[in-house]
Structures are given as structure tokens and as C-alpha cells.
Amino acid sequence: ESHKDEIEYKTASLNELNQRYEQLQKRLDRLYDDKLDERIDGNFYNKKFKQYSGDKSAPWENYRYCD
């Protein structure tokens, strides 16, 4: 029973990470489109790109250490 619970927990955690990753990737895609369409300037783009890119990798680093 506890092994089953552990598998379910890890599966749920991985699903949450995947959803977060996809959400951040969509933000990066929209951000890039906004830059190309000149809706935002380069400074704002760079700031948000750095933020979203860091947010995108951080949860995966934590997941590796939980295994």
C-alpha cells in the first residue's frame, strides 16, 4: 500500500511539474511574439525572459533531489 501511495504521489508531482513547465513555455512564446510585434521593448523582454527561464528550470532541479 505505501509503495502504491509513493507512486501516486510521484506521478501527481510530475504531472504538476509538467503543467507548470508548459505554462511557462507558453508565457515565453507569448513574450517572444510580443517582442516581435513591438508591443514590449528589449529591456522588458530580457527581464521577463530571464525570470520565466529561471522559473522553468527551478522545479525540475527540486524534483531531481526528491528521487
Side-chain angles (χ1 to χ4, degrees), residues 5-21:
D5 292 340
E6 182 179 344
I7 291 172
E8 288 175 359
Y9 174 78
K10 285 187 177 188
T11 301
S13 296
L14 189 56
N15 287 339
E16 286 180 33
L17 287 173
N18 280 324
Q19 288 174 351
R20 180 71 176 145
Y21 182 88

Side-chain angles (χ1 to χ4, degrees), residues 4-54:
K4 180 183 172 190
D5 292 340
E6 182 179 344
I7 291 172
E8 288 175 359
Y9 174 78
K10 285 187 177 188
T11 301
S13 296
L14 189 56
N15 287 339
E16 286 180 33
L17 287 173
N18 280 324
Q19 288 174 351
R20 180 71 176 145
Y21 182 88
E22 289 174 14
Q23 178 188 43
L24 290 167
Q25 185 59 53
K26 287 178 186 176
R27 286 183 181 173
L28 283 168
D29 292 343
R30 283 193 311 267
L31 182 69
Y32 183 71
D33 290 342
D34 287 348
K35 184 177 185 303
L36 289 177
D37 294 341
E38 298 180 353
R39 288 185 227 151
I40 58 173
D41 66 20
N43 288 333
F44 185 80
Y45 172 82
N46 290 334
K47 176 183 161 187
K48 288 304 207 178
F49 180 84
K50 189 175 185 178
Q51 175 189 342
Y52 293 156
S53 295

